[in-house]
C-alpha cells in the first residue's frame, strides 16, 4: 500500500515538474522553483514567486528602469483585486515598482506607487519603509520617522527590522533627536551584533552626547567586526583630529592602511594629518601614494584634496616650484581655484574637511600663483 501511494505521488510530482512550456499565445512561463511552488501552493503563488525573482534579479544589477518596465508589464495580468486570491500581488507590485522609481529619483511617481501599495496592502511593512525613504530624501523628516515607525510596528519578525531601525535612527539624527537616534542604533545592534555600521553610528551619537569613551569603544568594535569598513577609520580619526591628537589620528589611519593597503582615500587622510602635525615630508609621501593610485579608483574630491594638500606641504617646505605644479593640477580639477582668494573662499564654503594649515596657507598661495 505504501509503495503504491509513493508511486502515485512520484508520478504526480514528476508530471508537474515536467509540464511542457505554455504555447506561444500564453504569457505565463515558470521557472523550475516556481513550478515547485505551484505544486504546493498553486498557480498564483508561482506567478508571485516569478515576479519577485525577476524584481530581485533586475534590482541586484541596479537596472532600475528595467525593473520598472518589468513590473509595469506584470500589472495588467494581476491588476484585479477580485482575482488576486487575497494575496495582494497587485499591491506588492506597486510597492516594488515604487522602490525602483525611488532609486531612479523619480520621487513623485514613486510616492504614487507606494501610496497605492499601502492602500491595497496596509499591513506590509516594506511599503511604509520605502515611503519613509522617499520622505527622507524630500527632507520631510517627521513624516519619514512616522513611516519608519509604522514599518517597525508592522514587521512581526526580528529579521528585517535592522534596516528599519537604522533608517529611523538616521532620520532622528538629522532631526536633531540624538538620544532617540542612539536608542534606535542600540536596538539595531541587539538584533545584529555582527554588523559594524550601527556601532559607528551609535559611536557618533555618543560623541555628540559627550560620551567620549563610549564613542571610541563603539567605533573600535566596528573596526574589529569589519577591518575593511573605511568609514569606521574615518570617523575615529576625525574624532582624534577634533581633539588635536594627530598622532592618534595617524595611528588609526595607518591601521586602516594595514588592513586596506590599496585604499587611496586613507592615504589622503594620512597626508592631511601629517600636514597638520607639521611633518611635511611624511605628508608629501602619503599624498604622493594617493595620487600615484589609479585615477579611476580615486574620487574627484579626494584627488582635489590630495593635490591641494601636497601643494601646501611643498609650499611650507619652501619648494614653490613643486607647490605651484600641484596647485596648477588642482586648478584643472576645480576651476574656482583660478579666481584667486574669491574662488578659494567659495570652494571652502561648500567643501568640508579643510585642515587649519590649509586654511592658513592657501589664501597666500592662491594670490601668489594667480598673480605671478
Amino acid at each position: 500500500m505504501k509503495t503504491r501511494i509513493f508511486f502515485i505521488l512520484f508520478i504526480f510530482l514528476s508530471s508537474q515538474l515536467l509540464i511542457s512550456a505554455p504555447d506561444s499565445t500564453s504569457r505565463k512561463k515558470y521557472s523550475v522553483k516556481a513550478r515547485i511552488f505551484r505544486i504546493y501552493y498553486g498557480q498564483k503563488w508561482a506567478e508571485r514567486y516569478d515576479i519577485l525573482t525577476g524584481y530581485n534579479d533586475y534590482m541586484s544589477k541596479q537596472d532600475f528602469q528595467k525593473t520598472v518596465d518589468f513590473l509595469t508589464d506584470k500589472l495588467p495580468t494581476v491588476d484585479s483585486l477580485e482575482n488576486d486570491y487575497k494575496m495582494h500581488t497587485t499591491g506588492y507590485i506597486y510597492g516594488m515598482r515604487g522602490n525602483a522609481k525611488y532609486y531612479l529619483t523619480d520621487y513623485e511617481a514613486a510616492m504614487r506607487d507606494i501610496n497605492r501599495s499601502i492602500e491595497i496592502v496596509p499591513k506590509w511593512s516594506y511599503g511604509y519603509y520605502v515611503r519613509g525613504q522617499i520622505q527622507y530624501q524630500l527632507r520631510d523628516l517627521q513624516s519619514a520617522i512616522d513611516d519608519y515607525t509604522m514599518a517597525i510596528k508592522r514587521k512581526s519578525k526580528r529579521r528585517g527590522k535592522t534596516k528599519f531601525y537604522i533608517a529611523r535612527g538616521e532620520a532622528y539624527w538629522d532631526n536633531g533627536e540624538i538620544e532617540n537616534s542612539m536608542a534606535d542604533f542600540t536596538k539595531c545592534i541587539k538584533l545584529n551584533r555582527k554588523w559594524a555600521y550601527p556601532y559607528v553610528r551609535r559611536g557618533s551619537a555618543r560623541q555628540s552626547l559627550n560620551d567620549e569613551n563610549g564613542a571610541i569603544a563603539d567605533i573600535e568594535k566596528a573596526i574589529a567586526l569589519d577591518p575593511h569598513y573605511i568609514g569606521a577609520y574615518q570617523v575615529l580619526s576625525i574624532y582624534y583630529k577634533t581633539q588635536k591628537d594627530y598622532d592618534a589620528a595617524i595611528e588609526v589611519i595607518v591601521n586602516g592602511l594595514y588592513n586596506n593597503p590599496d585604499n587611496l582615500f586613507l592615504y589622503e587622510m594620512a597626508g592631511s594629518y601629517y600636514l597638520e602635525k607639521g611633518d611635511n615630508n611624511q605628508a608629501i609621501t602619503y599624498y604622493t601614494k594617493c595620487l600615484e593610485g589609479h585615477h579611476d579608483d580615486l574620487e574627484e574630491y579626494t584627488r582635489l584634496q590630495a593635490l591641494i594638500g601636497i601643494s601646501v606641504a611643498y609650499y611650507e617646505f619652501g619648494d614653490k616650484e613643486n607647490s605651484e605644479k600641484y596647485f596648477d593640477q588642482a586648478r584643472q580639477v576645480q576651476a574656482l581655484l583660478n579666481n584667486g582668494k574669491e574662488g578659494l573662499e567659495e570652494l571652502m564654503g561648500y567643501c568640508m574637511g579643510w585642515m587649519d594649515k590649509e586654511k592658513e596657507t592657501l589664501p597666500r598661495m592662491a594670490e601668489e600663483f594667480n598673480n605671478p
Side-chain angles (χ1 to χ4, degrees):
M1 182 66 180
K2 289 182 179 179
T3 304
R4 182 179 298 176
I5 293 173
F6 177 79
F7 179 75
I8 293 171
L9 182 61
F10 174 79
I11 295 296
F12 171 73
L13 292 175
S14 300
S15 65
Q16 291 295 314
L17 289 172
L18 296 175
I19 292 174
S20 59
D23 59 61
S24 58
T25 60
S26 173
R27 300 181 65 207
K28 297 178 180 178
K29 297 180 180 180
Y30 300 106
S31 66
V32 173
K33 287 185 179 179
R35 290 176 188 175
I36 295 173
F37 263 65
R38 188 178 181 184
I39 294 169
Y40 289 101
Y41 302 112
Q43 179 175 324
K44 290 187 177 297
W45 271 99
E47 181 178 72
R48 182 172 165 186
Y49 180 88
D50 269 359
I51 290 172
L52 182 60
T53 301
Y55 167 78
N56 287 333
D57 182 51
Y58 286 123
M59 289 295 287
S60 66
K61 297 174 182 175
Q62 298 188 358
D63 198 336
F64 305 122
Q65 187 56 56
K66 280 191 177 179
T67 307
V68 170
D69 296 340
F70 167 76
L71 293 171
T72 301
D73 185 57
K74 295 296 180 181
L75 273 174
T77 65
V78 294
D79 198 6
S80 171
L81 294 180
E82 294 180 2
N83 298 324
D84 209 12
Y85 200 59
K86 299 181 181 179
M87 292 195 309
H88 308 302
T89 306
T90 305
Y92 293 127
I93 291 177
Y94 276 117
M96 291 185 289
R97 191 176 71 171
N99 188 44
K101 289 179 178 179
Y102 160 76
Y103 279 101
L104 289 169
T105 66
D106 187 356
Y107 299 132
E108 184 177 348
M111 186 68 82
R112 286 197 300 269
D113 273 358
I114 292 298
N115 285 337
R116 178 64 173 143
S117 173
I118 292 173
E119 178 186 351
I120 298 171
V121 198
K123 294 184 178 181
W124 190 31
S125 60
Y126 193 71
Y128 296 100
Y129 168 73
V130 175
R131 190 168 69 180
Q133 294 289 79
I134 298 169
Q135 304 280 22
Y136 182 84
Q137 292 299 325
L138 296 174
R139 308 313 292 165
D140 187 351
L141 296 176
Q142 189 56 55
S143 294
I145 290 168
D146 293 342
D147 273 327
Y148 295 142
T149 302
M150 284 296 295
I152 291 167
K153 289 180 178 179
R154 297 292 188 185
K155 189 72 174 177
S156 57
K157 296 181 179 179
R158 287 166 59 90
R159 192 179 74 173
K161 276 190 176 182
T162 51
K163 67 179 178 182
F164 297 167
Y165 280 120
I166 282 290
R168 192 174 69 174
E170 299 281 6
Y172 275 135
W173 174 274
D174 287 0
N175 210 33
E177 301 176 56
I178 306 302
E179 291 184 355
N180 285 334
S181 175
M182 188 172 74
D184 271 356
F185 297 139
T186 299
K187 290 173 183 175
C188 184
I189 288 169
K190 289 180 179 179
L191 290 170
N192 185 356
R193 295 186 181 277
K194 295 184 178 181
W195 188 18
Y197 181 74
Y199 283 99
V200 173
R201 296 302 290 121
R202 190 175 71 175
S204 296
R206 282 179 162 169
Q207 183 182 348
S208 295
L209 296 172
N210 299 315
D211 180 5
E212 297 181 359
N213 291 333
I216 293 172
D218 269 347
I219 300 171
E220 287 181 343
K221 176 66 173 179
I223 292 173
L225 285 170
D226 184 2
H228 303 297
Y229 181 21
I230 304 303
Y233 300 105
Q234 178 187 12
V235 171
L236 186 57
S237 70
I238 289 175
Y239 166 75
Y240 286 124
K241 169 199 165 187
T242 61
Q243 304 299 311
K244 305 294 184 183
D245 189 348
Y246 294 107
D247 287 332
I250 290 167
E251 183 179 352
V252 169
I253 296 302
V254 169
N255 180 35
L257 285 168
Y258 176 81
N259 293 307
N260 306 273
D262 297 324
N263 190 276
L264 303 179
F265 174 68
L266 292 178
Y267 282 110
E268 189 278 326
M269 290 198 76
S272 68
Y273 293 140
Y274 274 117
L275 177 67
E276 198 68 9
K277 184 183 175 182
D279 189 339
N280 294 312
N281 274 324
Q282 283 288 68
I284 290 169
T285 297
Y286 278 94
Y287 282 134
T288 300
K289 288 181 179 179
C290 173
L291 294 169
E292 285 177 347
H294 198 284
H295 288 183
D296 291 343
D297 297 330
L298 187 60
E299 293 183 1
E300 183 176 290
Y301 179 72
T302 303
R303 176 171 170 75
L304 176 64
Q305 291 287 74
L307 287 169
I308 289 175
I310 197 170
S311 179
V312 171
Y314 273 118
Y315 191 88
E316 290 289 315
F317 202 62
D319 185 347
K320 292 189 177 181
E321 182 179 350
N322 272 315
S323 176
E324 186 170 9
K325 180 184 78 173
Y326 285 107
F327 192 80
D328 285 342
Q329 291 182 32
R331 285 192 290 199
Q332 293 174 18
V333 176
Q334 177 51 257
L336 284 173
L337 292 173
N338 292 311
N339 300 333
K341 285 186 177 180
E342 294 77 11
L344 180 62
E345 289 175 1
E346 185 178 348
L347 179 62
M348 287 185 167
Y350 72 81
C351 288
M352 301 179 67
W354 298 94
M355 290 293 177
D356 291 340
K357 184 71 70 176
E358 292 172 329
K359 293 177 182 177
E360 174 189 330
T361 308
L362 274 171
R364 299 200 309 271
M365 293 171 54
E367 185 173 16
E368 181 176 341
F369 295 152
N370 280 293
N371 298 285

